[in-house]
Amino acid sequence: MLTWGTLLKQSAQTALEQLLEKLGWKTIATIALLLLTLFGAPFLIHSHPSTVEVKSLIFAGLQNVDELATVTMDAKATVKLEKTNEFLGMQIGQTNFVYEGVSKVQAGINLKQLQVQSISPDRRKVHIVLPAPYIRDLGLDVEHSTILADYTDWFADKSTPELQEEAQLKAMAVIKQQSCEGRILEAANSSAKALLTGVLTKVGFNQIEIDTQLPQESACR
């Protein structure tokens, strides 16, 4: 026996089917697109923020750079090279070359290795882990670097371009070591943490946890 409720339900279902058939799927799709435009995606579906979304927000806030230089410092080092000249096992002269190398050292992190550990559903809390900092760039400023001394004692050859190149490489190695001893990598960690906190705050996160990692031993070799 059919009840009034059953008849009403069947009538409503039939009316809906007739309406869908009359409007057509193109019209329905247009209405759905209009609702999406007016009210946004949450009107249709509620999704949790993804790690990809958070990474995209960070990259956009940092102008889409892959490698982030967070600390830049000026440095210089003075090195001395001595090349002896021997005859029949006896030293008969020496070439002396003193070079002062000047450089700008950059340290930072590789944003491609950034990890998003967790995100709250309300998009207010985020936890990320930064990769270990590294020396991003250490270029010798040849124009401002100087040959402080270039002389020979007794019977010795004059300095060669190869000797100057060796002095430049040695100066860069000393600068790198001095920068590490000056804790440039630790400063890069602190700067990166502060920078990313600012970026995430601007996009709406108010509980931000950022973990940093100790520099790898190979970073200063």
Side-chain angles (χ1 to χ4, degrees), residues 23-38:
L23 291 176
W25 288 108
K26 289 185 178 180
T27 304
I28 296 173
T30 302
I31 295 174
L33 181 61
L34 179 62
L35 291 173
L36 177 62
T37 303
L38 292 176

Side-chain angles (χ1 to χ4, degrees), residues 98-201:
V98 183
Y99 186 83
E100 182 181 70
V102 177
S103 174
K104 281 187 178 295
V105 186
Q106 289 186 345
I109 61 171
N110 187 343
L111 287 177
K112 291 181 179 179
Q113 298 175 1
L114 180 147
Q115 298 179 3
V116 181
Q117 294 293 96
S118 63
I119 320 158
S120 63
D122 60 359
R123 303 168 186 258
R124 289 291 179 264
K125 184 177 180 180
V126 64
H127 176 200
I128 65 176
V129 179
L130 301 183
Y134 69 105
I135 301 293
R136 183 175 178 271
D137 185 41
L138 198 165
L140 195 65
D141 187 347
V142 180
E143 292 185 1
H144 293 89
S145 299
T146 309
I147 299 175
L148 299 179
D150 182 5
Y151 62 94
T152 60
D153 294 328
W154 301 98
F155 304 101
D157 298 328
K158 293 182 179 180
S159 62
T160 61
E162 290 76 16
L163 187 63
Q164 181 172 341
E165 183 179 352
E166 183 182 348
Q168 290 174 338
L169 293 174
K170 186 175 181 180
M172 291 176 64
V174 172
I175 288 173
K176 186 175 185 179
Q177 187 61 38
Q178 290 177 346
S179 299
C180 288
E181 292 174 355
R183 303 181 67 80
I184 188 174
L185 295 176
E186 287 77 5
N189 259 345
S190 299
S191 181
K193 185 174 181 178
L195 187 59
L196 292 180
T197 297
V199 170
L200 292 169
T201 300

Side-chain angles (χ1 to χ4, degrees), residues 68-100:
L68 181 62
T70 58
V71 176
T72 301
M73 62 177 290
D74 295 323
K76 62 181 180 180
T78 301
V79 297
K80 181 179 181 181
L81 296 182
E82 298 175 346
K83 183 178 180 181
T84 60
N85 189 21
E86 296 183 352
F87 180 73
L88 297 178
M90 296 180 60
Q91 181 175 332
I92 60 173
Q94 179 173 280
T95 303
N96 302 278
F97 192 84
V98 183
Y99 186 83
E100 182 181 70

Side-chain angles (χ1 to χ4, degrees), residues 41-42 45-57 116-128 200 203-205 207:
I45 184 171
H46 177 74
S47 61
H48 295 302
S50 67
T51 58
V52 174
E53 180 183 356
V54 174
K55 284 187 176 182
S56 297
L57 290 172
V116 181
Q117 294 293 96
S118 63
I119 320 158
S120 63
D122 60 359
R123 303 168 186 258
R124 289 291 179 264
K125 184 177 180 180
V126 64
H127 176 200
I128 65 176
L200 292 169
V203 297
F205 290 99
Q207 296 183 53

